[in-house]
Structures are given as C-alpha cells and as structure tokens.
Amino acid sequence: MGVAIDVPRFDRDLFGSGERFTRIGPGELGGKASGLILAERALAAAIAGDDLRGFEVGIPRMTVLATGVFDEFMSENALWDVARSGDPDRHVALAFQRAQLPVGVVGDLRGLVEKIHTPLAVRSSSLLEDALEHPFAGVYATKMTPNNQPDPDTRFRRLVEAVKFVYASTFSRNAVDFRRAIGKTHLDEKMAVIVQEVVGSRHGDRFYPDLSGVARSFNFYSSARGSPEEGIANLALGLGKTIVDGGVSWAFCPARPKAPPPYDSARDLVARTQLDFWAVNMGKPPDYDPAAETEYLVRATLADAEADGVLAPLASTYDAASDRLLPGSGARGARGARVLTFAPLLVLELRPVARLVEHLLDVARKALGHEVEIEFAATIPADPNAPARLGFLQARAMSLSTEPVEILPGEADAPDAIVASASAMGNGIDRTIRDIVYVAPDRFDAAATRDIAAEIASINHALHAEARPYLLIGFGRWGTQDPWLGIPVDWSQISGARSIVEASLPGMQPDPSQGSHFFHNITAFGVSYFTIGPAAPGRVDWAWLARESSAWEGRFVRHVRLDAPLTLKIDGRRGAGVIRRAASA
C-alpha cells in the first residue's frame, strides 16, 4: 500500500524544473510510485565508485495523479456500475474513454504536454500494487504514447486516453480475479497513475532503450551459473515488455556474467535468443484504438536495430565455419548472424553492467528490507567516453519461505513419483491436491496454444468455484505472451493452480523467465513451480497419467481426479522437488 511521502505539487515546467517527482491531486501515491521515490533516495547516496562511472543512474522524472483524482473521476462520471458490471474488458475500457477527467487536473496535463515532446509511459500505481505478499505485477496496465504530434491538442488527448486506459484496467477480468484470489474487492483498491518519461533514444520512426532488464536478488533456479543468493538478471533489446511478458531474453548471474550459457552449441543458441523487440512508434499514426495497450508500440527486428546502429555493445557474431560466437558485431555489414548475448557488456566489460546490477540489487534490498526484484532500462552511447544512462524503473519486495524441507535419497526415482525436478521453485510440503490438469503430450500443438489456454481456463473456472486446488502440467513457458514459446495464460486462467509444471519438447525449450510479471505473481501466491528440460533434469510419469480415468477431457487437455491427495515436497535450499501419489493410486 502507498506510504505517506512528502512530494511537491506538480510544476507545469516538470522536465525543466529541479523537481524529479511531483504530484497532481489529493490522496495517496500508490505502491509503485512510493517504492520508486524511496529507491531514489537510497540510490542518491549509494551510487559511487570509479568502476561505475560509465553510467548515470537515476529514476526518470515523473508526476503522479494521486488516488483522489481516481475517486473524483469515478464519482463524477457515475462509473461504479460499469466497473462492477462484469462486462468484457474492452467494453469497460471504452466506457471509461467516454468519461471526462476532473476539470482540476486537465490544465496540469495540458501544461505537461506543451513542454514535453518525448515519449511518455503512463503506468499504474495502485494502493495494493507492489505489496510484499501479493504485488499485482503486470495485473494493471501501462500505456506508452509517442507524444510527438506537432500540435499540443493531439498530444494532450492521447495522454488523457492513456490515463483513462490505466483507470479502466483496475476493473479488468484479470484484476478482479486477482483481487478475489487474495480476499480483496474493488472497495480495497484505488488507482494512482504515474506519468513518466520513457528511457531511450529515437531512431527514425522508433524510440527505444538499447537494453531493458529485470533482476532478482534471489534466484529460484540455482545452477552452475550461480547460487540462489547471487541472484539472476534478464536483459533484452528494446522496451522491457519483452521480458515482463515472458518473451525471449538473455539470463545471467550478476556475480558470474561470464559463465557459459546452457546451450548445446553456438548454432543452438542462435536459434533460441531474442530475434525482435518492442519500440514506441514515432512514425505514421496507427489505427485509432485507445482501448489497446499496444496502440503506439511496434515490433522491429535485429536487422532494424543494426541499421539503427545499436547492436555493437549488445550482440555477438556467429561464425558458422567454427560454430563459435565472437563478442561484438564488428563493422556494419560484417558477415555472420547477430546474436543478442550482451557479451560486449558482460564478457568484455565495455560497460560495468553486471557490477552495476549487483550494486542496484544490494541498494534496493537494503532499502526495502527484503529480497527484491528491480526493473531498469539503459541507453549505451557509441562514444565509450560518454556516460551511459540507466533509468531505474521499479523495485518490489519478494516474499520467500524458509521452512526446512528434506527430500530423501531415492524419492525422486520412486515408482510413485509422478513429477521430479532438479529445478523447482518454492519451499515446503503440500498435501491438499487431488486434481491434476495436464496437456496431453500426444495432442500438444504449438500452433494451438491459445486454444489450449482456453481449455485450461474452463477447467480452472470450475475447480476454483469448488475451491479445489490442482496441479497444472504443460509445455513451454507458462504465461508467455508469445504463443510459440509456451501456453499464453494469464493469471485469471490458472488462478486455482497450487503447483505448476513446465516441461519441454523439442523445439520448445525456453529458459524459465524469472523476470516476467506472470512469474512474479506466481511466486507471491506461493504457487510452486517445477521446470523439466535440458537444463533442468527431471521427469513426468506421462504413462501413469494416461492410464488414469479422466474427470473431463478436451481436445488438448485432461483433468484427472484422485481419491487420495498427492504429496508435494520442495527443498528451496537445493531447488529440488518431487510430487508423489498415494500408494493405492
């Protein structure tokens, strides 16, 4: 929940004034904004040292529409009936777009766009957001606007539409289901909105950061690349949407950035790294759609990024003759595929990115008093003597269980073990699960993952209504927004799952995405997570599952109901887990 922090009132010369943070309206600032302001105060005193001089670190300037503006907006436009209607998200969003913002804030927003011509991120900062137990990561909306239209009237209208879009997301199906799962209602929630400059540079019709990142001070998937306490980070080219939506990104341990990645060969790595990225569209206006989060975003390719001149500090070049990756992209036009390994930064240390991430995690952990997840974005100038700019975008606390659990020798190989993994997330023992929902391996189709998600949602709705927790087993990355990487469920579609298994298939073997918003909410709800794949040894007893009679069966998904509960054990210290059936099952 938001904390009481003294923040000056909005100055219509926001980006030209000395104030980095201002507020519009009465009320609270919300969890996200409060966390950023606390982090800024800690960063101001902590960023020092010759080895970090290559970076200027700070939180992008922002103003916050406090929760009092939200209250006034809802009351003046009689929107509570719409909010509680249960109508589809788009219908709610369009109803909010037809409403009017309070007169008292219109002048301030108009003043803002008259002086600013760079892209703006309009982000949620609700009272419940970024709480330790249930952080609401990615549950509410963010919308970016290019803010480059020649006339201030158009820039103003687009900003207002983005604010109303974030307000509407307070009552999306996903948000309502999330609140219900933690025993909260709309009466417990109010929305503040952050308006903040986007970190990045303009390249023709695109605006984006050279890299975005998400880092955690605790790594739920320990490996030879680092211990759990050394943390984990994910980097991506372009906007951070790639990472938080569960897309392909580059994972590394900040304490061991030069550790080799878990790929069989350089050729394998070429096929499984980031191939496109998100940017703000600064060119031809898109089709008008104020109810779409990606209205002003565009996807671009590595070839576009190379033409923009940003790959040199980010990419390696694949040498097919030797099946090797050479750090750097060489001169423009040099032969060989470009591969986003970030090796010039992490291996050659052209800029101290890994050490800086370690430092930021340490600062945030001390400031919040818990293990943390941070988000950031950076621009890397071509001139090595010019400072890079890193924008610190978010810090949220992580909740970890420390109950001692021991998995005895031989348990993982026991005949009654239906799931075993050397890479499991969570900690504790659970004997409450009698239902298993799984994607049948002989029916799985990577082209039909959205249909698979719909079948799972249908079963989830029924089991959740009966208060029956279940084990969910499937393929690829759960919660990804890329349907070719896994099954693109959102929280509302799997809200009744107590434990989740992520298995791999040939051609669908993504690294677990610890930086995704979906992943963060899974951990916050105490949902255990088993990973099984090339880098995470383990097994699923598919033959036993196939023999069990089904309580429900769809085109892709089966539901099995057991007479006796499963026994689920995860040793969080070792990251190992096992799920065993009762002897009679």
Side-chain angles (χ1 to χ4, degrees):
M1 182 173 291
V3 296
I5 297 177
D6 184 24
V7 176
R9 288 187 56 80
F10 173 74
D11 183 336
R12 295 191 181 183
D13 189 24
L14 171 66
F15 284 26
S17 72
E19 299 291 352
R20 298 195 61 79
F21 309 119
T22 56
R23 63 181 295 150
I24 296 174
E28 298 186 61
L29 303 180
K32 190 179 295 180
S34 298
L36 277 173
I37 294 169
L38 292 174
E40 167 77 1
R41 294 174 181 178
L43 285 170
I47 299 301
D50 291 348
D51 60 341
L52 300 179
R53 280 186 184 164
F55 278 94
E56 293 179 350
V57 180
I59 294 174
R61 292 182 187 272
M62 68 182 191
T63 191
V64 184
L65 279 72
T67 56
V69 180
F70 172 78
D71 290 338
E72 193 174 351
F73 173 75
M74 295 296 295
S75 298
E76 287 185 355
N77 293 282
L79 286 170
W80 285 110
D81 286 343
V82 174
R84 294 189 293 259
S85 67
D87 287 346
D89 292 354
R90 188 170 179 82
H91 290 182
V92 174
L94 290 175
F96 274 56
Q97 290 297 332
R98 290 191 291 269
Q100 300 296 316
L101 286 183
V103 173
V105 308
V106 168
D108 285 339
L109 294 182
R110 175 62 188 244
L112 189 153
V113 299
E114 285 182 346
K115 295 184 178 294
I116 304 168
H117 299 266
T118 56
L120 296 173
V122 182
R123 310 169 65 197
S124 65
S125 181
S126 79
L127 292 186
L128 298 177
E129 207 162 3
D130 287 359
L132 176 62
E133 296 84 2
H134 307 297
F136 282 74
V139 172
Y140 300 131
T142 291
K143 186 158 185 172
M144 296 189 180
T145 172
N147 193 42
N148 67 331
Q149 296 88 350
D151 65 293
D153 287 341
T154 302
R155 298 199 301 276
F156 168 71
R157 287 195 298 271
R158 299 300 173 258
L159 175 59
V160 168
E161 288 166 357
V163 170
K164 290 189 281 191
F165 179 78
V166 173
Y167 280 159
S169 73
T170 315
F171 308 101
S172 69
R173 180 195 63 179
N174 200 31
V176 171
D177 286 347
F178 197 100
R179 286 195 295 268
R180 184 181 296 118
I182 63 172
K184 302 289 185 180
T185 72
H186 67 278
L187 298 176
D188 302 299
E189 185 66 299
K190 292 184 181 182
M191 182 63 71
V193 175
I194 297 170
V195 180
Q196 188 172 42
E197 62 177 333
V198 177
V199 176
S201 302
R202 182 167 184 173
H203 304 278
D205 288 343
R206 294 180 291 273
F207 186 102
Y208 57 94
D210 296 337
L211 66 86
S212 293
V214 175
R216 290 167 168 255
S217 60
F218 187 90
N219 179 8
F220 286 104
Y221 295 103
S222 58
S223 69
R225 288 189 287 170
S227 67
E229 294 76 15
E230 288 177 317
I232 188 75
N234 292 76
L235 297 180
L237 166 67
L239 298 172
K241 181 176 174 62
T242 296
I243 302 173
V244 301
D245 281 357
V248 176
S249 59
W250 183 260
F252 70 98
C253 172
R256 306 170 189 267
K258 300 180 184 181
Y263 294 96
D264 295 332
S265 66
R267 185 183 299 274
D268 182 44
L269 191 150
V270 170
R272 293 170 56 190
T273 48
Q274 185 182 0
L275 298 176
D276 59 17
F277 65 96
W278 287 100
V280 180
N281 177 15
M282 306 294 286
K284 180 182 177 182
D287 293 338
Y288 181 66
D289 190 356
E293 187 171 32
T294 58
E295 182 181 11
Y296 297 110
L297 300 186
V298 62
R299 268 187 153 156
T301 66
L302 294 191
D304 295 323
E306 181 150 33
D308 293 339
V310 304
L311 285 189
L314 311 178
S316 294
T317 300
Y318 177 62
D319 178 37
S322 62
D323 191 30
R324 294 176 54 208
L325 287 173
L326 307 176
S329 62
R332 193 174 298 184
R335 309 185 82 161
R338 306 297 190 241
V339 187
L340 280 174
T341 64
F342 301 90
L345 299 174
L346 302 178
V347 178
L348 301 182
E349 295 187 88
L350 299 182
R351 305 271 180 167
V353 169
R355 292 199 302 276
L356 179 57
V357 170
E358 271 194 295
H359 194 49
L360 293 175
L361 285 171
D362 186 56
V363 170
R365 181 171 48 222
K366 290 176 180 176
L368 298 183
H370 293 276
E371 300 294 338
V372 294
E373 177 183 271
I374 63 173
E375 297 180 22
F376 55 89
T379 55
I380 313 291
D383 181 356
N385 297 314
R389 180 193 178 197
L390 184 141
F392 192 95
L393 302 178
Q394 190 151 346
R396 59 168 72 93
M398 296 165 54
S399 178
L400 302 177
S401 170
T402 58
E403 174 192 357
V405 175
E406 183 180 9
I407 296 177
L408 300 174
E411 277 197 86
D413 299 319
D416 60 359
I418 65 169
V419 175
S421 173
S423 185
M425 182 202 75
N427 190 78
I429 300 174
D430 190 314
R431 295 188 177 91
T432 65
I433 301 173
R434 295 172 182 261
D435 293 83
I436 303 172
V437 176
Y438 76 97
V439 182
D442 58 337
R443 306 180 200 173
F444 179 77
D445 181 354
T449 53
R450 295 192 188 281
D451 294 330
I452 294 172
E455 286 193 6
I456 292 169
S458 176
I459 303 172
N460 176 79
H461 179 76
L463 291 176
H464 196 277
E466 297 175 26
R468 296 185 68 97
Y470 63 91
L471 169 65
L472 177 62
I473 307 175
F475 302 101
R477 183 177 292 165
W478 287 104
T480 179
Q481 296 304 300
D482 184 343
W484 293 98
L485 287 180
I487 302 174
V489 292
D490 58 35
W491 173 253
S492 67
Q493 294 174 304
I494 54 95
S495 57
R498 182 67 55 83
S499 182
I500 296 176
V501 177
E502 180 179 287
S504 67
L505 287 173
M508 187 174 279
Q509 301 173 352
D511 284 344
S513 181
Q514 298 197 54
S516 72
H517 284 154
F518 177 88
F519 186 96
H520 192 96
N521 285 320
I522 288 292
T523 64
F525 270 96
V527 176
S528 58
Y529 206 92
F530 293 73
T531 301
I532 300 169
R539 67 186 182 90
V540 176
D541 192 343
W542 298 111
W544 176 80
L545 284 169
R547 290 195 299 270
E548 291 296 297
S549 59
S550 58
W552 181 90
E553 196 157 340
R555 182 181 170 195
F556 304 101
V557 180
R558 296 187 75 228
H559 170 207
V560 171
R561 177 162 290 175
L562 306 177
D563 293 329
L566 299 167
T567 297
L568 183 152
K569 296 172 68 175
I570 294 183
D571 179 352
R573 297 166 299 174
R574 296 194 303 115
V578 63
I579 303 174
R580 302 178 67 174
R581 65 181 187 270
S584 60

